Amino acid sequence: MLLISCPVCGVEGDETEFRYGGAAHIERPASLDPENISDEAQRDYLFIRKNPCGLHFERWVCARGCGKWFHAARDTMTLEFKAFYAITDQPPKLAEGAPAGPKGRGGRT
Ligand SMILES: [Zn+2]
């Protein structure tokens, strides 16, 4: 069971009370130069994702709380959340294996 804490409203719960929204911080090629998007850039944006063994930045939505999107940093090996942060924030600087407080939970950054 994943324990998640919404950084917007503070609701805490397991993964059934939130929805995973995929990898975070993926830049859309159309936001850079919409007139000259290559097929490869569009393909990579739509279909190519990292599958890291370790720290992964993800998007989640507070489905049964405020309904807002937020970001989370999670270790894919231990399933431990390292941090929860606002959707507009850049990813926190986290060292692999750094302590993040209680097991299964992360802290706000
Ligand atoms: Zn919330």
Side-chain angles (χ1 to χ4, degrees), residues 86-98:
I87 197 79
T88 55
D89 290 349
Q90 291 299 307
K93 304 268 187 262
L94 298 170
E96 289 282 335

Side-chain angles (χ1 to χ4, degrees), residues 5-12 18 61-70:
S5 177
C6 176
V8 179
C9 69
V11 165
E12 294 182 348
F18 296 83
V61 65
C62 186
R64 295 192 181 172
C66 64
K68 303 287 186 185
W69 287 91
F70 61 92

Side-chain angles (χ1 to χ4, degrees), residues 30 33-37:
D33 186 4
E35 300 297 323
N36 297 306
I37 302 170

Side-chain angles (χ1 to χ4, degrees), residues 14-92:
D14 63 29
E15 69 274 14
T16 64
E17 299 180 42
F18 296 83
R19 295 284 184 272
Y20 177 72
H25 309 292
I26 297 173
E27 190 168 317
R28 295 179 182 183
S31 65
L32 298 176
D33 186 4
E35 300 297 323
N36 297 306
I37 302 170
S38 70
D39 290 342
E40 292 77 20
Q42 187 65 14
R43 177 206 60 208
D44 290 352
Y45 168 70
L46 291 174
F47 302 112
I48 306 298
R49 294 292 181 264
K50 294 178 182 175
N51 188 18
C53 183
L55 190 61
H56 188 235
F57 298 99
E58 305 170 335
R59 298 176 63 207
W60 287 82
V61 65
C62 186
R64 295 192 181 172
C66 64
K68 303 287 186 185
W69 287 91
F70 61 92
H71 286 151
R74 183 172 61 93
D75 187 322
T76 59
M77 293 297 290
T78 64
L79 303 182
E80 180 181 9
F81 283 98
K82 301 291 187 180
F84 300 105
Y85 54 103
I87 197 79
T88 55
D89 290 349
Q90 291 299 307

